[in-house]
């Protein structure tokens, strides 16, 4: 049951990252929330396997803060990479060359 709450928290963190960070026009509307859900669930399961109890506070803090950090980093990196790729493609097409 707790994994469901963790997944929901990851989705909320992902939605917040999508709308609070720049470059949202460079990726789909579900990509960053999906990253948030995935990271939150993976962190939760890994911490559970590491021996942290699900009713303790540390597992929640580590999972939520880790999800915030990874989701924000993913949003920023994906946005920069896609913007750079789009600029390169625009420059290539503006010169009249065929992009490969």
């Amino acid at each position: 049951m707790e994994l469901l709450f963790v997944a929901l928290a990851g989705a909320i963190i992902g939605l917040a990252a999508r709308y609070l960070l720049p470059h949202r026009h460079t990726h789909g509307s579900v990509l960053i929330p999906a990253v948030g859900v995935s990271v939150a669930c993976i962190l939760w399961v890994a911490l559970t396997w590491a021996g942290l109890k699900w009713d303790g506070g540390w597992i929640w803090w580590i999972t939520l803060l880790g999800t915030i950090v990874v989701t924000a980093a993913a949003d920023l990196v994906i946005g920069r990479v896609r913007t750079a790729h789009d600029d390169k493609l625009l420059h290539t097409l503006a010169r009249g060359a065929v992009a490969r």
Side-chain angles (χ1 to χ4, degrees):
M1 186 68 173
E2 286 75 19
L3 190 59
L4 177 65
F5 294 131
V6 169
L8 180 62
I12 292 169
I13 290 169
L15 282 170
R18 168 155 172 73
Y19 291 107
L20 294 176
L21 295 173
H23 302 297
R24 76 173 144 251
H25 64 280
T26 61
H27 47 72
S29 61
V30 182
L31 178 64
I32 300 302
V35 168
V37 171
S38 301
V39 169
C41 290
I42 290 169
L43 276 173
W44 180 269
V45 171
L47 291 171
T48 302
W49 287 349
L52 290 171
K53 301 295 181 197
W54 56 267
D55 58 349
W58 283 110
I59 193 169
W60 288 97
W61 283 107
I62 294 169
T63 300
L64 296 177
L65 292 176
T67 302
I68 290 169
V69 169
V70 172
T71 304
D75 184 88
L76 295 173
V77 168
I78 290 169
R80 286 185 188 141
V81 168
R82 288 192 174 176
T83 300
H85 180 266
D86 289 349
D87 290 343
K88 180 181 174 188
L89 181 61
L90 178 64
H91 181 70
T92 302
L93 292 174
R95 287 188 320 194
V98 176
R100 293 178 197 241

